[in-house]
Amino acid sequence: MNASLTMGPAWADFKNAVEAAQVHGESLRLIEAAGLQVDLSAQPQSEALDRSGLALLEQQGFAQARGALFDGGLANWTERRAALHTALRAAEPPPAVARAILGERERLRAFVAQADSAQSYRYVLHLGIGGSDWGPRMVIRALRHRGLKREIHFASNVDSHSVADALTHLDPHQTLVIIASKSFTTTEPLANAEVAMNWLRAAGVADPVRQVVAITANTDAALDFGISPQHVFRFWDWVGGRYSLWSAIGLPIALTLGCEAFDALLAGAAAMDQHFAQAAPEHNAPVQMALTGLANRSVRGFDSLAIAPYDSRLEHLVPWAQQLEMESLGKVATADGTPVGVPTGPAVWGMPGTDCQHTFFQWLHQDSLGAPVDFILSARPDHDYAQHHQLLIANCLAQRAALLRGKSYDEALRETLATESDPQRAELLARHKVHPGGRPSTLIVLPCLDPQSLGALLALYEHKVFTQGVLWGINPFDQWGVEFGKSLARNILGELNSPQRDASDQDPSTQHWIARLAGGKPSC
Ligand code: F6P
């Protein structure tokens, strides 16, 4: 069990070192990891900070926790489970799980090979949500420029507009329906599966269930649904949902991008695993990103983290990272139940650049506090417009520099006097043009956006999140906070379906809307 973060001796030194460190960017601080370049030059840095960070890792038992993660120890200690997403992409998984992993990996490849040789399933309808959706959705969006073997549509929301819209693009006689759900009890995919089955029947598909596969850890439920055993692909309780794209949850990736691309994705993540497992802490990219995140969140008081991938193909990286970071780190209870005592997981948000510059960079530059930014950039584009890529790079580097350097009042006044003849007006305008500067950012540079570099990038974030969980002493692999809302929804659904029931114990507003919206009454 980790020591409490703030009760240990290392915390005070770390806190003092962070408060004393400046974000000046005067020295290049670059870490090469699994083909990625991670530039931490625009983050707080000092020798005292380096030393205290190492002491904090020691105090929190990081090395032991990392070893347990890779070896199948109880990394998910509230659910008494391992968290072996690293085993899913290992060339040689740990012996205890090797047979299961390699066997399912082989089943997945055989299914794809058979579908390819028979030229089956021109279309794929993917029904999943959260970790059973964001991973495949994000990877396929990021890499579809490499060509897709099949057209895929994702429907995750229980709002039937989502699945209805997807169905309009599909031919029921050439569509494979994937029901991806670790528990196989989640409302959304099962509700959407009912719509999809009715859609297949209505189109005259003789045996609809033959066009359905399930990807789940609850194989009994999938078989009870009527799916044939050959079409049930499994993963396990020791794989967290938001860490599961490396498992059979990656089937849609293989069906659309091909098994080679999926293998390269796994290889990229495995390369980052090796870096994370072997690099000394001071040269370990996930570890240093984790310490930086701890400094910015728990000491400097930034409430959020902005992620700006300067590549429109990474538009789903932000929601994927939101679930990974916020569902893993939005907690306060430590292993003995006591609260951490400092702010933990930041709110994660963002948008691809350069769109983000025209959306919220005003706030990042001149808000009273702003937020740290992770900039992500590919060195090489996958298009022929070289000048456009230079423009993209120039904008990414410029935004980082502006956040770091800032603009003083004197600089703003000199700039304004060049065009404003009225000195009083110039002085007033200059006040509005001051940029505080010293705003932290990390730059992650990929050689290009290919499966290998994407796999490494995703694993980088997974290991950063894990390390922050260890530092804060919280469990990054459970999600007790998502159950309460689900149980209330079941109660409210019951009241919506039978409004004549006695007055509920809901709050007045909820009662009002149950009465007004029950049975789909037109309420507006
Ligand atoms: O959001 C809660 C959650 O349990 C996530 O952790 C998970 O990825 C998602 O719902 C979907 O769960 P399942 O894969 O079991 O349908």
Side-chain angles (χ1 to χ4, degrees):
M1 187 178 298
N2 300 329
S4 158
L5 174 67
T6 57
M7 305 305 283
W11 172 249
D13 290 345
F14 181 78
K15 185 169 181 292
N16 294 335
V18 172
E19 288 165 345
Q22 298 302 316
V23 177
H24 45 66
E26 284 164 8
S27 54
L28 179 62
R29 188 155 164 251
L30 211 50
I31 299 177
E32 197 283 334
L36 310 187
Q37 300 288 318
V38 179
D39 185 340
L40 294 151
S41 309
Q43 291 288 359
Q45 47 180 321
S46 71
E47 285 185 15
L49 189 48
D50 290 344
R51 277 195 311 276
S52 60
L54 293 177
L56 205 55
L57 289 165
E58 177 73 25
Q59 170 188 298
Q60 293 306 98
F62 167 70
Q64 295 82 347
R66 178 180 56 185
L69 176 74
F70 280 98
D71 295 345
L74 293 186
N76 179 354
W77 24 268
T78 56
E79 294 179 299
R80 297 196 179 97
R81 294 171 184 167
L84 271 169
H85 43 288
T86 53
L88 296 171
R89 57 227 189 184
E92 294 179 13
V97 293
R99 183 184 179 88
I101 289 174
L102 297 175
E104 212 57 26
R105 211 184 275 178
E106 193 41 49
R107 287 191 68 229
L108 180 147
R109 281 156 181 71
F111 178 81
V112 174
Q114 166 59 27
D116 288 354
S117 65
Q119 295 185 326
S120 308
Y121 316 126
R122 182 176 165 199
Y123 303 97
V124 177
L125 173 62
H126 186 276
L127 305 176
I129 197 162
S132 297
D133 168 80
W134 283 124
R137 187 194 290 252
M138 175 267 300
V139 168
I140 292 166
R141 174 63 188 90
L143 298 174
R144 74 178 186 210
H145 62 280
R146 301 165 62 87
L148 294 181
K149 296 191 300 178
R150 293 175 174 86
E151 184 177 331
I152 187 166
H153 292 269
F154 290 85
S156 52
N157 200 311
V158 78
D159 159 356
S160 286
H161 295 300
S162 171
V163 68
D165 176 61
L167 296 180
T168 62
H169 301 278
L170 303 171
D171 173 350
H173 297 281
Q174 299 188 74
T175 295
L176 176 70
V177 178
I178 296 180
I179 305 173
S181 175
K182 179 177 178 184
S183 60
F184 221 83
T185 60
T186 305
T187 301
E188 294 89 341
L190 295 182
N192 286 330
E194 188 181 341
V195 172
M197 297 306 286
N198 292 337
W199 172 72
L200 291 173
R201 289 187 195 98
V205 172
D207 185 3
V209 81
R210 284 176 52 84
Q211 290 176 216
V212 182
V213 299
I215 309 171
T216 184
N218 186 351
T219 50
D220 289 346
L223 295 172
D224 290 348
F225 188 88
I227 297 168
S228 66
Q230 299 87 329
H231 277 195
V232 177
F233 295 90
R234 67 169 309 187
F235 60 113
W236 303 273
D237 275 350
W238 34 264
V239 177
R242 52 194 175 274
Y243 299 86
S244 65
L245 76 91
W246 321 100
S247 72
I249 287 286
L251 173 63
I253 298 171
L255 281 167
T256 53
L257 291 165
C259 287
E260 278 184 30
F262 188 50
D263 288 341
L265 187 81
L266 296 180
M272 185 57 74
D273 293 345
Q274 289 307 309
H275 167 81
F276 177 57
Q278 295 169 2
E282 56 272 29
H283 303 301
N284 195 306
V287 168
Q288 291 305 315
M289 284 180 69
L291 287 166
T292 296
L294 185 75
N296 285 327
R297 179 73 182 110
S298 301
V299 180
R300 306 182 72 213
F302 290 107
D303 292 328
S304 69
L305 167 68
I307 298 181
Y310 268 64
D311 191 322
S312 50
R313 297 168 295 176
L314 289 175
E315 63 180 319
H316 295 326
L317 183 78
V318 172
W320 173 84
Q322 283 178 314
Q323 188 198 8
L324 173 69
E325 296 241 4
M326 297 170 80
E327 202 165 84
S328 297
L329 299 174
K331 300 156 187 173
V332 295
T334 59
D336 65 3
T338 56
V340 180
V342 292
T344 51
V348 174
W349 55 287
M351 180 188 291
T354 57
D355 294 283
C356 55
Q357 296 171 201
H358 304 269
T359 308
F360 51 71
F361 264 68
Q362 162 61 44
W363 183 88
L364 284 170
H365 285 296
Q366 291 191 321
D367 173 69
S368 53
L369 183 62
V373 184
D374 283 358
F375 290 91
I376 299 169
L377 186 61
S378 294
R380 292 195 315 274
D382 291 289
H383 57 63
D384 299 329
Y385 302 98
Q387 187 53 26
H388 283 203
H389 196 60
Q390 296 305 302
L391 281 173
L392 189 75
I393 293 170
N395 274 280
C396 178
L397 298 182
Q399 292 301 328
R400 286 181 72 232
L403 287 168
L404 176 65
R405 183 190 311 171
K407 183 185 289 185
S408 69
Y409 171 73
D410 291 343
E411 288 170 326
L413 183 57
R414 275 196 302 277
E415 172 192 297
T416 309
L417 282 170
T419 55
E420 176 53 61
S421 56
D422 174 349
Q424 276 190 324
R425 176 161 169 71
E427 286 173 12
L428 172 64
L429 281 179
R431 296 275 172 224
H432 293 265
K433 295 182 179 180
V434 171
H435 288 57
R439 300 214 155 171
S441 69
T442 296
L443 172 64
I444 302 167
V445 180
L446 285 61
C448 64
L449 186 57
D450 63 6
Q452 179 111 3
S453 59
L454 181 60
L457 177 69
L458 304 181
L460 172 66
Y461 274 92
E462 286 181 344
H463 292 317
K464 179 202 84 166
V465 164
F466 166 73
T467 304
Q468 288 183 323
V470 171
L471 288 167
W472 277 315
I474 55 180
N475 177 358
F477 298 117
D478 61 12
Q479 52 284 323
W480 300 106
V482 302
E483 297 310 323
F484 185 34
K486 289 180 184 176
S487 66
L488 291 185
R490 284 189 288 273
N491 297 343
I492 292 173
L493 181 65
E495 296 189 36
L496 282 168
N497 290 339
S498 53
Q500 71 282 358
R501 269 169 44 172
D502 296 341
S504 72
D505 60 355
Q506 307 291 350
D507 61 84
S509 172
T510 303
Q511 284 191 44
H512 166 79
W513 290 111
I514 287 171
R516 285 289 296 274
L517 300 175
K521 284 180 203 159
S523 61
C524 307

